[in-house]
Amino acid sequence: MARSWRNFFKWGTEEEERREEGSVSTEEVSGDAGPERVQEEAGWFGRLRRGLHKSRQAFVGQLNAAVSEFRDAEDEEFWERIEEILISSDVGVNTTAKLVAELEQRALERNITSGRELRELMVDITARMLEGDVSLDLSHRPSVILMVGVNGTGKTTTIGKLARYLPGEVMFAAADTFRAAAIEQLQLWGERTGAPVIARERGADAAAVVYDAVDAARREGTDVLIIDTAGRLHTKVNLMAELEKVRRVIERQMPGAPHEVLLTVDATTGQNGLRQARLFKESVGVTGVVLTKLDGTARGGIALAIADEVGVPIKLISVGEKVEDLHPFDARQFAEALFGEL
Amino acid sequence: MFDTLSERLNTALDGVRGSGTLTEDQVKKVTREIRLALLEADVNYGVVKEFVSNVRERATGAEVSKALSPGQQVVKIVNEELARLMGGSAHKLSFASRPPTVVMLAGLNGHGKTTAAGKLALFVRKLGKQPFMVACDTYRPAAVEQLQQIGREINVPVYAEGVEPAPEEIAERGIRAARDGGYDFVIIDTAGRQVVDLEMMEELKRVRKAARPHSVLLVLDVVTGQNAVEVAQAFQEYADFDGMILTKLDGDARGGAALSVVSVTGRPIKFASEGEKMSEFDYFYPDRMAGRILGMGDVLTLIEKAEQQVDKAEAEKQGKKLMAGKLTFEDFLEQMQMVKRMGPLSGLLGMIPGLNKQLQGVEIDDRVLNRVEAMITSMTPEERRNPKLLQNQSRVRRIARGSGSSPQEVQKLIKQFNQMQKMMRQMGKGRGMPRLPFRTG
């Protein structure tokens, strides 16, 4: 069920013991134990499933109503209804068509006649679509995480939240030198989490900040360096080139780095999320998506479309403004939240 | 995958070119394509349903105009319906009779409220107002600093009290400070919020009550997906906004959310924000948005222009002449002038979807057209009608002198014209597109 933070991080075996000893945050939020898991269920999972908002209830209600009327797989109207529900969740026309076709075929093959079985099948197929490598590679020293994404998708906030869960020494690099007060925003997160922040003045060359930061992280034996970058639209050729330069600077200084390139995608995004994922992947090699602002109204169906059409795994989801609202992604759980019973 | 709705529609309508009216069956095919295009553009499912049924009604039995293919005809109907739904023309700002005019911004996290506040301030200053901003986002780290930095950048004062006081109190005192300072346009920046967070929505209500704004603008990111409708409804309930600012329009999102929100709330989009620069902010023009949602560049404008300029019967006559290889310089001049009436060449080409990208870096020079025109007008009417006369070199020299060009340039034009004639004769037997007898760039 709930993925624990402990399993989420992947690190070298020889370092495992040392890090586990020193990591307070993983202990705090581990979802392994029974009671804690239940608590977590009641937390984000509950929030997602029960829905805090009538619209979400209405949405899940629609699905329930549709599924409860399911009799046999030859009912065309039924599939149209499912199509409508998927598209209304931002899954997109292509992925929806694919999903419904598979669902229909398998339902026919297995001769499914009950809504309950059909729902299980839906969750199954969706979960498989979403499965991928969801661990975070922390086996290096420093492990370098580059945060990228379109303006306002929650890069800085994700960094602040993520730092709370990371074992060992964490350092931030304020490479968003463009937006007003972006550096200050990251510095406030630095104060809250105790992570030192490497920064220059606003308007400085982002690549230079990154150079300083990798340098400092290696010198000080930092475990994880997280680099915040300026939000940019994937269509801006110059800004994407700047990001590629940042990546090259990191690579040159530390071969093999960045070890993770995380793309933040706002869960309320429609089909443009696909373009974002595609172009950022082409440009800087995204290793995982952070789906942010997945609150009560956002269905986050775009995650499905991205996993299916772009092939980048979702690694983290954020369901609220608090630090506890950040979670490692779990394909099955997400599928259940999308289509599960109330 | 089809790139544009017009391509999709033309494919769907393949073979029905030239028929007088659209049949029910054709309309059915066509509405399916429209439905898909709108869904791919993130227009809300419910809105699409209603919209498509309107279009179906209008398109059934619609007469196909002379200048347009049936596909274009449907596109035109779709576009008109879209533009009508979105309110036709741009909504201009109105100002309070007793200043200051107070405008409050509200919206989801990360949709660009703070940036929009700065852009709006700069915009109204250009209209002769003295703007003043109030920082009421007491939640996001460094949001107050962000507004202050923007204020310094554009030289607009910012009222801030840090993050401790209640936002509604900051708003009230901020407006008072603006009035005392003699400022006549106050912009209140509020925290981004999720509509499920009822506490935050209640707070927005309190800020609205305290500020008593003349206008509340919902700031909406153009990438927003299907939930735009619930978002808009919630903000309507709690903030009762009267218009929208659509942001990040410089990306490539189709922006169907805009349509959803307008359709459900009846509130117009007032401003468009695009670009990283503070000055990239303007009134919103709904007709432009229609083309964007349909993914057609400004092809609609092009269709309109063609409709205005092309006399169908005349065009057919020309086409026949062209294919028979009987085109004269006179016909050519006429066509060229028609193209020129439609606007600058670079602008025209930019309106064709897909073409814009290919043309990046290629310079389109309208002066090329002017030079060609000068050369043709330096010919005698006889020469224009009978290009064979131009084999005479003294005629060529005279034309060169008259048009301020070199004899080589005139030779080149004649040569290209002859090549085109030949090509047309060949093409007249098959099918294909005519090409202008000169190169640009």
Side-chain angles (χ1 to χ4, degrees):
Chain A
M1 286 297 286
R3 277 177 57 80
S4 81
W5 280 98
R6 193 196 304 251
N7 297 335
F8 181 59
F9 301 128
K10 190 169 74 192
W11 46 58
T13 42
E14 80 275 12
E15 289 187 34
E16 197 157 335
E17 229 165 279
R18 180 183 63 80
R19 296 204 192 194
E20 269 197 35
E21 237 166 72
S23 87
V24 186
S25 48
T26 27
E27 291 303 316
E28 273 176 7
V29 291
S30 165
D32 277 353
E36 277 176 53
R37 206 203 70 198
V38 172
Q39 204 177 4
E40 195 160 302
E41 269 250 10
W44 83 270
F45 193 45
R47 268 174 90 166
L48 265 185
R49 279 181 57 159
R50 285 195 311 271
L52 288 165
H53 198 261
K54 54 183 188 251
S55 70
R56 181 159 184 96
Q57 282 172 358
F59 167 71
V60 178
Q62 265 180 17
L63 184 75
N64 280 341
V67 170
S68 71
E69 275 168 29
F70 176 78
R71 291 295 168 263
D72 66 276
E74 284 175 37
D75 181 357
E76 276 307 312
E77 260 173 50
F78 172 78
W79 296 116
E80 265 172 41
R81 190 88 192 92
I82 296 295
E83 234 177 63
E84 176 179 335
I85 289 166
L86 286 168
I87 287 173
S88 300
S89 326
D90 290 320
V91 173
V93 174
N94 285 344
T95 304
T96 294
K98 200 168 142 183
L99 204 62
V100 170
E102 190 175 346
L103 200 57
E104 194 173 348
Q105 196 198 338
R106 297 248 308 259
L108 277 171
E109 278 168 12
R110 292 202 208 163
N111 198 18
I112 285 178
T113 50
S114 83
R116 193 183 49 81
E117 281 173 293
L118 185 82
R119 190 192 298 275
E120 275 167 21
L121 194 59
M122 269 177 96
V123 171
D124 236 38
I125 295 173
T126 320
R128 250 193 309 105
M129 222 174 217
L130 287 164
E131 264 159 23
D133 177 16
V134 290
S135 61
L136 210 61
D137 181 7
L138 298 181
S139 61
H140 311 267
R141 205 169 179 191
S143 294
V144 180
I145 302 175
L146 183 64
M147 293 293 304
V148 300
V150 167
N151 318 55
T153 47
K155 285 174 293 303
T156 313
T157 307
T158 300
I159 290 173
K161 290 177 181 172
L162 181 60
R164 297 286 278 267
Y165 296 103
L166 289 172
E169 297 289 322
V170 179
M171 182 185 277
F172 295 158
D176 180 354
T177 56
F178 181 81
R179 206 203 71 203
I183 299 168
E184 288 82 347
Q185 190 180 345
L186 190 66
Q187 278 165 339
L188 281 169
W189 277 111
E191 277 168 35
R192 287 184 191 174
T193 58
V197 181
I198 304 299
R200 289 192 176 196
E201 75 288 354
R202 188 172 168 215
D205 180 8
V209 176
V210 169
Y211 186 92
D212 290 352
V214 176
D215 204 43
R218 300 180 89 174
R219 207 174 45 237
E220 290 172 26
T222 301
D223 294 296
V224 186
L225 170 66
I226 315 181
I227 299 167
D228 189 20
T229 61
R232 67 200 74 219
L233 289 172
H234 49 287
T235 49
K236 303 258 157 140
V237 178
N238 295 344
L239 296 180
M240 293 306 277
E242 182 200 73
L243 199 60
E244 284 160 30
K245 184 179 163 196
V246 164
R247 196 197 152 103
R248 280 198 304 277
V249 166
I250 302 169
E251 274 169 355
R252 210 173 305 140
Q253 235 174 326
M254 188 177 174
H259 309 99
E260 295 284 352
V261 180
L262 299 182
L263 172 74
T264 48
V265 175
D266 186 329
T268 61
T269 304
Q271 296 313 297
N272 195 244
L274 276 176
R275 301 270 308 147
Q276 294 176 12
R278 245 184 221 125
L279 291 180
F280 272 99
K281 184 188 175 194
E282 274 170 27
S283 167
V284 285
V286 174
T287 61
V289 166
V290 183
L291 198 61
T292 62
K293 306 183 211 172
L294 189 61
D295 68 324
T297 57
R299 291 97 187 211
I302 189 62
L304 206 59
I306 289 175
D308 176 45
E309 287 194 42
V310 190
V312 176
I314 317 297
K315 291 204 173 183
L316 288 160
I317 58 168
S318 171
V319 294
E321 311 207 3
K322 295 189 203 74
V323 169
E324 309 84 79
D325 292 330
L326 185 73
H327 298 272
F329 178 73
D330 182 287
R332 178 155 287 273
Q333 207 170 43
F334 187 85
E336 276 170 10
L338 256 183
F339 306 117
E341 223 158 338
L342 275 171
Chain B
M1 268 297 286
F2 300 102
D3 263 355
T4 70
L5 182 62
S6 44
E7 273 175 54
R8 288 177 104 131
L9 295 182
N10 279 332
T11 309
L13 290 173
D14 214 16
V16 298
R17 245 163 249 275
S19 67
T21 54
L22 292 173
T23 66
E24 212 165 303
D25 194 44
Q26 286 159 2
V27 171
K28 205 171 162 191
K29 269 196 210 162
V30 157
T31 45
R32 195 192 116 80
E33 296 297 327
I34 296 169
R35 181 174 163 268
L36 284 177
L38 291 175
L39 287 175
E40 276 167 10
D42 295 320
V43 180
N44 179 274
Y45 197 92
V47 175
V48 169
K49 258 188 172 167
E50 203 187 310
F51 182 83
V52 165
S53 95
N54 284 349
V55 169
R56 183 180 295 130
E57 227 167 82
R58 264 195 68 187
T60 309
E63 199 179 325
V64 179
S65 95
K66 274 184 181 176
L68 304 177
S69 70
Q72 286 171 327
Q73 181 75 22
V74 177
V75 168
K76 197 166 158 256
I77 293 173
V78 172
N79 183 51
E80 281 166 9
E81 281 293 307
L82 273 179
R84 192 180 57 85
L85 207 91
M86 288 204 284
S89 56
H91 289 258
K92 306 287 183 203
L93 257 182
S94 58
F95 302 99
S97 48
R98 287 180 54 202
T101 305
V102 177
V103 173
M104 176 174 130
L105 304 184
L108 300 175
N109 315 65
H111 282 221
K113 281 174 299 304
T114 308
T115 305
K119 288 181 168 188
L120 179 61
L122 197 61
F123 185 82
V124 297
R125 194 169 60 201
K126 283 186 195 146
L127 299 176
K129 299 286 160 192
Q130 270 107 44
F132 185 93
M133 301 192 283
V134 183
C136 291
D137 181 354
T138 57
Y139 296 91
R140 183 165 57 88
V144 175
E145 285 84 346
Q146 186 186 352
L147 193 67
Q148 284 170 327
Q149 282 188 18
I150 289 172
R152 274 197 295 278
E153 214 173 286
I154 59 174
N155 205 15
V156 170
V158 172
Y159 182 86
E161 294 185 17
V163 297
E164 290 303 325
E168 59 266 33
E169 290 168 20
I170 300 175
E172 229 177 332
R173 288 191 286 264
I175 295 166
R176 206 175 308 141
R179 192 177 290 126
D180 293 347
Y183 295 94
D184 57 7
F185 197 94
V186 183
I187 299 163
I188 298 173
D189 184 27
T190 64
R193 62 203 75 219
Q194 298 294 326
V195 295
V196 291
D197 194 334
L198 295 183
E199 245 171 74
M200 287 293 283
M201 295 307 280
E202 285 294 344
E203 181 209 88
L204 194 63
K205 214 177 203 171
R206 289 198 298 275
V207 177
R208 192 192 199 294
K209 208 173 155 201
R212 281 180 292 146
H214 301 93
S215 170
V216 178
L217 297 177
L218 174 68
V219 178
L220 188 78
D221 189 330
V222 72
V223 304
T224 308
Q226 294 283 328
N227 78 329
V229 164
E230 287 105 70
V231 169
Q233 281 168 337
F235 275 99
Q236 191 174 25
E237 185 182 338
Y238 286 89
D240 191 22
F241 64 94
D242 55 284
M244 271 179 288
I245 299 178
L246 206 55
T247 64
K248 302 181 202 169
L249 273 161
D250 44 337
D252 56 358
R254 291 274 181 81
L259 183 67
S260 308
V261 174
V262 174
S263 156
V264 168
T265 65
R267 304 287 189 260
I269 298 160
K270 293 192 174 175
F271 295 99
S273 171
E274 46 185 309
E276 308 258 349
K277 289 194 209 85
M278 277 292 140
S279 58
E280 289 171 301
F281 189 86
D282 198 359
Y283 285 124
F284 175 82
Y285 296 92
D287 42 340
R288 292 184 200 163
M289 194 66 203
R292 181 181 183 126
I293 289 174
L294 297 174
M296 318 200 286
D298 251 347
V299 81
L300 297 158
T301 320
L302 200 61
I303 289 177
E304 265 169 41
K305 286 186 172 174
E307 250 192 330
Q308 285 161 13
Q309 297 302 333
V310 181
D311 179 330
K312 175 105 172 188
E314 180 61 25
E316 258 169 27
K317 207 176 90 197
Q318 291 255 346
K320 270 186 194 139
K321 262 173 116 175
L322 195 74
M323 290 309 180
K326 285 180 189 152
L327 192 73
T328 65
F329 271 112
E330 228 165 25
D331 302 324
F332 187 55
L333 185 65
E334 208 170 290
Q335 284 189 356
M336 225 168 56
Q337 280 164 344
M338 193 188 77
V339 171
K340 274 177 74 179
R341 278 200 299 272
M342 285 163 69
L345 198 54
S346 50
L348 278 182
L349 293 173
M351 287 178 196
I352 302 172
L355 206 59
N356 227 339
K357 234 179 203 149
Q358 292 164 22
L359 285 173
Q360 271 169 12
V362 181
E363 228 167 281
I364 308 293
D365 196 347
D366 279 308
R367 281 173 303 184
V368 176
L369 274 187
N370 291 341
R371 291 186 78 84
V372 172
E373 196 178 338
M375 286 188 252
I376 298 177
T377 48
S378 295
M379 296 172 187
T380 64
E382 215 186 337
E383 284 164 350
R384 290 184 217 169
R385 277 192 295 270
N386 186 5
K388 283 201 175 97
L389 292 174
L390 295 172
Q391 281 162 2
N392 182 328
Q393 288 308 306
S394 76
R395 283 177 190 268
V396 170
R397 280 195 296 277
R398 197 202 73 245
I399 293 165
R401 267 200 312 280
S403 60
S405 47
S406 68
Q408 285 77 25
E409 281 174 284
V410 179
Q411 289 282 18
K412 201 171 146 199
L413 173 69
I414 295 165
K415 197 175 157 205
Q416 286 176 338
F417 184 83
N418 287 336
Q419 277 172 354
M420 185 179 75
Q421 288 274 37
K422 211 167 127 191
M423 209 167 68
M424 288 300 163
R425 266 196 300 274
Q426 283 161 0
M427 268 174 36
K429 294 160 195 160
R431 282 178 68 190
M433 273 289 293
R435 184 182 297 221
L436 292 175
F438 54 83
R439 282 172 186 282
T440 53

